[in-house]
Amino acid sequence: VLCLIIVVGVAFSYNFWNDVTGLYGHLAGVPKALLPGIGGRKVLDFWWETVNTRQLFSEVYLVTNADKYKHYERWATANGFPVENVVNDGTTTLEGRLGAVADLELAIRSRRLQDDIMVIAGDMLCADQNFDIAQVIRFFRSKPGELVIYYELEEGEKSSSRGIVEVCPDTHRVTCFLEKPQQGRTTSRLASVVFYCLRRETLPYLSRFLSLQPCVQNRTLGLFWEWLINEEKVPVFGMKLPTGFQLIGQVGLDDYTKWLARYSAKQQGSAGKPISYRSYARVGLMGNPSDGFHGKTIAMTVSNFWAEVTLTESQSLVLLPHPLNDPTEFGSLQDLYCISCKEGYLGGLRLLQATCKKFYQFCSEQGIALSKQNFTLKYDTNIPRQVYKFFFPFFSAIVSATLKCLMKFFNITDRDLPKPIRANFILNVETDELFITAGLQDRVVQVYEGLVYMDFSKELMGKRGYGEYIPMDMRDLPTFWLAYLGDPSDSGRIHSNVRQRWLNVKLPGSGGAVVGLCLDSERLMAMKDAFQEAGCVFCVIVPFSPTTTSSQCRN
């Protein structure tokens, strides 16, 4: 059982706004939470819509002062909010205010609440309001403590104007809370906002804090959390919203008009541009496949072959099958039989689905609350069907490109999902979700791109869960060539006993393909002719460097 308490601040003053245009005179005295936004919707409407769409709370309360109580009573009547759940703190002036902590304690005491509670500032707006609040609740339930929501400060935002948290990346526990710290006191750029969850056994701390703070200026929620975390050592955990916040605290007309402009622009371009990423095939130059046996490898991405994933915002979540790799229509039963015998059933659609599933799971476990935006995913590839099963990492290329799109769409940064962990994520999608036999090498080189040295020593893997990955200089590389069978054997069988073969002879390999280098152009052409006459496909490898602009987002 969880109760929600929405705390709203005092009203703006028309003089405080300093409106020289006269365009906003009709808003004089209107509480900030009830300022009109896009399409006539008010700031508070966004929060009410977010929490009212699902039965997540036993009760929802709103705390305000006597001066603005009538405004919120009217709003409640118009929006189906229970009027009896609007709590009036009895104050009419800024000087006579109780303070945010006292208002919160009043709502709990007067309504005799004995449940866990969520607290939200109803006059603050999340940049992407349509996030999954159920995900926040699940994360709170999974932790043995309280929960604070934070976001990464945008460029230009000062840490001295926010409550700053320091969060352990492994446990997600908040190790320190600093209310509006002076410059240089912390390097953290993680800002807490009035969005909390408290367990019922922690609620008595509110009255204890109030007894220590007779001065109303110190009865702020930021100072309460600073005291609770730093002095009382109560376990508090942090969850990140990968988006910013607007209209926080004491803001003026300029902030309000900027917010209107931002959301108007967002609504006009609501669909957004498609996001496309490519991941490139790789060739293992040395050590392959010792990545599965704590060895060292060198591999390189090549631009000859790639897999591309495109994400477009949409009303519902749609995964589009590829017309060739995920066929759903055939010329005849015989046609279906022949295609199935030759190409099997290993299309890319399941990779899209598994990546999305694992992405949501990862964000939930790592304390990252996602917006409830839907999208359509589709993929394309030029990797030959008969080749990608055994030589080129088609599976990991699709997963890698899909992950890039999801990270861009949901504003997940390298700090949230660092490159070494990203490679582990891609591998886990394949091994845990789809039971594909694979190693880290392909995933690492597709994440880092270019020429990469990889050390998968047992000590490193056991200590931190990933190896040592070093990008190498790609200048002055010799000419590499590739030859592969036009119709190779199934690498599922080839890789299935690779570990035992390594134990027996120490010389495993995928079979059916070879990479070489040649410094003599005439010999290269002769080699090409010889391979082609033997029924192989031959091509000169074009190395792919991460500095190439085509590797970036193609939206």
Side-chain angles (χ1 to χ4, degrees), residues 233-430:
K233 307 299 182 184
V234 172
V236 177
F237 296 85
M239 187 175 198
K240 181 182 179 182
L241 272 181
T243 184
F245 286 79
Q246 281 81 45
L247 304 184
I248 300 176
Q250 297 295 323
V251 297
L253 178 60
D254 185 56
D255 300 276
Y256 175 63
T257 54
K258 284 181 179 178
W259 169 71
L260 285 177
R262 178 170 181 168
Y263 276 83
S264 295
K266 183 176 180 180
Q267 189 178 57
Q268 291 173 3
S270 56
K273 294 181 179 179
I275 299 169
S276 293
Y277 276 104
R278 281 185 178 181
S279 281
Y280 293 87
R282 70 98 183 109
V283 290
L285 300 180
M286 296 182 68
N288 184 38
S290 66
D291 53 320
F293 319 114
H294 302 296
K296 300 177 177 68
T297 67
I298 295 177
M300 177 176 68
T301 48
V302 300
S303 59
N304 304 64
F305 302 103
W306 46 262
E308 181 176 272
V309 174
T310 300
L311 182 152
T312 307
E313 188 172 358
S314 56
Q315 290 295 319
S316 57
L317 201 159
V318 180
L319 306 178
L320 295 177
H322 191 276
L324 295 179
N325 296 325
D326 306 289
T328 57
E329 185 175 339
F330 303 88
S332 65
L333 189 59
Q334 181 186 12
D335 183 34
L336 181 149
Y337 171 80
C338 294
I339 290 175
S340 302
C341 289
K342 182 177 178 61
E343 301 181 359
Y345 315 99
L346 301 178
L349 197 60
R350 60 178 184 152
L351 298 166
L352 301 182
Q353 184 173 352
T355 307
C356 291
K357 185 257 188 182
K358 202 72 172 180
F359 179 77
Y360 183 87
Q361 179 182 339
F362 173 86
C363 291
S364 298
E365 293 173 351
Q366 295 300 312
I368 302 173
L370 300 176
S371 61
K372 293 176 68 176
Q373 297 169 281
N374 281 327
F375 52 86
T376 294
L377 278 177
K378 65 179 181 179
Y379 77 95
D380 194 13
T381 181
N382 73 341
I383 298 176
R385 177 81 180 189
Q386 72 273 24
V387 173
Y388 71 62
K389 289 190 292 182
F390 73 98
F391 187 70
F392 298 117
F394 166 78
F395 300 138
S396 59
I398 289 289
V399 176
S400 175
T402 304
L403 180 58
K404 291 176 185 177
C405 289
L406 292 172
M407 290 179 66
K408 178 72 174 180
F409 185 67
F410 289 103
N411 196 28
I412 303 300
T413 66
D414 287 344
R415 187 194 300 266
D416 301 319
L417 188 49
K419 286 185 176 181
I421 307 302
R422 205 179 307 168
N424 290 351
F425 175 98
I426 296 168
L427 179 62
N428 291 338
V429 169
E430 298 177 75

Side-chain angles (χ1 to χ4, degrees), residues 497-517:
N497 66 339
V498 68
R499 180 176 292 273
Q500 186 59 49
R501 285 160 42 220
W502 180 82
L503 293 173
N504 292 340
V505 300
K506 307 296 191 294
L507 290 172
S510 296
V514 61
V515 173
L517 58 90

